Amino acid sequence: MQKHLLITGANRGIGLTLVEQYLNDGWAVNACCRQPEKADELIQLQAKYESLTLSKLDVTDYHAVKLLADSLADIPIDLLINNAGYYGPKGVSFGDTDVEEWRRVIEINTIAPLKIAEAFLPHLTQAQDAAYVAISSKMGSMSDNSSGGAYIYRSSKAALNSVVKSLSLDLKSYGVKVVALHPGWVRTEMGGPNGLIDTNESAAGLKQVISELSSTDNGSFFDYLGNKIPW
């Protein structure tokens, strides 16, 4: 039976590359982004793959999230990747915190992933051995923080990791694995031009880690090479 992936933030960067790699492996993919009509690369992939569906979705529009979940009510989802994320203002130092931007980053990076998990749990439970994956960042790791700063983004990903840990416990009885994954420092619009790896390397690594997840990995935090990251 064909496996089904639903992924957010699918129109560029790591998300777009993951879409392409899963399509190449024969998966059915529902790619979600805010403006699919302007997502030229996704539109080109849709012309090539019948198994690709594009969905308009702002992850912070929780009514829209519910409507999408309702429209896919009878479709099992083997893998849900919450990839949509927002860094917020860069280069902001202590004493110059934009509180409104902080709220926006928390909304996108922390609250939305939980609301999406709530909306699509019925779809995950219809599949065998399903997984919910949150694309996080080691910048959310307390142990890894040796440079300070980046209060907004760090706090949003630390909070996301807490959400992942609780979800892994709450969804265990449903047979759904939940993990947080760090994609590496990737050359994307968010990661910037100095990233250490490209999207193909990151996506291939993430995909490999996901394919090897077992029940003992539930509630863990890994990087794209499968190394465990301390919380």
Side-chain angles (χ1 to χ4, degrees):
M1 182 180 293
Q2 188 178 38
K3 291 192 172 184
H4 194 117
L5 161 69
L6 186 140
I7 181 170
T8 65
N11 59 311
R12 65 188 182 193
I14 300 165
L16 177 64
T17 307
L18 282 167
V19 168
E20 187 166 15
Q21 291 190 7
Y22 275 98
L23 287 169
N24 284 339
D25 267 8
W27 284 55
V29 177
N30 191 303
C32 305
C33 60
R34 286 179 297 172
Q35 296 179 302
E37 70 280 0
K38 295 182 180 180
D40 294 339
E41 292 91 345
L42 282 177
I43 292 169
Q44 291 170 14
L45 283 174
Q46 193 177 37
K48 183 179 177 183
Y49 295 96
E50 292 183 0
S51 57
L52 174 60
T53 302
L54 307 186
S55 295
K56 181 180 179 67
L57 185 68
D58 178 338
V59 295
T60 65
D61 182 344
Y62 305 125
H63 178 66
V65 169
K66 184 179 185 305
L67 287 178
L68 178 60
D70 290 346
S71 73
L72 301 173
D74 298 325
I75 297 178
I77 293 177
D78 299 271
L79 173 61
L80 197 159
I81 301 178
N82 193 92
N83 172 68
Y86 178 53
Y87 189 91
K90 296 185 179 181
V92 176
S93 58
F94 176 74
D96 191 28
T97 304
D98 186 328
V99 173
E100 287 306 313
E101 277 292 285
W102 198 347
R103 290 191 177 104
R104 184 182 177 207
V105 173
I106 290 286
E107 187 82 43
I108 295 169
N109 292 356
T110 309
I111 300 174
L114 176 60
K115 297 303 293 181
I116 287 169
E118 291 175 346
F120 286 96
L121 177 59
H123 308 74
L124 292 165
T125 58
Q126 289 180 56
Q128 296 292 322
D129 199 31
Y132 175 92
V133 172
I135 301 301
S136 185
S137 170
K138 71 175 184 178
M139 286 185 71
S141 166
M142 304 298 173
S143 301
D144 186 73
N145 185 356
S146 59
S147 60
Y151 293 95
I152 293 176
Y153 188 69
R154 284 188 191 279
S155 63
S156 73
K157 291 300 187 178
L160 172 62
N161 290 347
S162 181
V163 166
V164 165
K165 188 64 178 178
S166 284
L167 274 176
S168 72
L169 298 171
D170 291 341
L171 303 193
K172 185 176 181 181
S173 63
Y174 295 94
V176 178
K177 298 185 293 291
V178 183
V179 295
L181 297 183
H182 167 61
W185 185 10
V186 189
R187 292 187 290 275
T188 61
E189 184 173 325
M190 182 185 290
N194 299 320
L196 300 178
I197 58 173
D198 61 21
T199 58
N200 284 315
E201 187 175 352
S202 175
L206 293 170
K207 189 166 168 291
Q208 182 70 24
V209 172
I210 292 168
S211 71
E212 295 174 354
L213 289 175
S214 70
S215 58
T216 58
D217 297 318
N218 185 42
S220 296
F221 185 15
F222 296 106
D223 69 11
Y224 73 103
L225 295 174
N227 301 308
K228 215 164 199 178
I229 301 175
W231 297 112

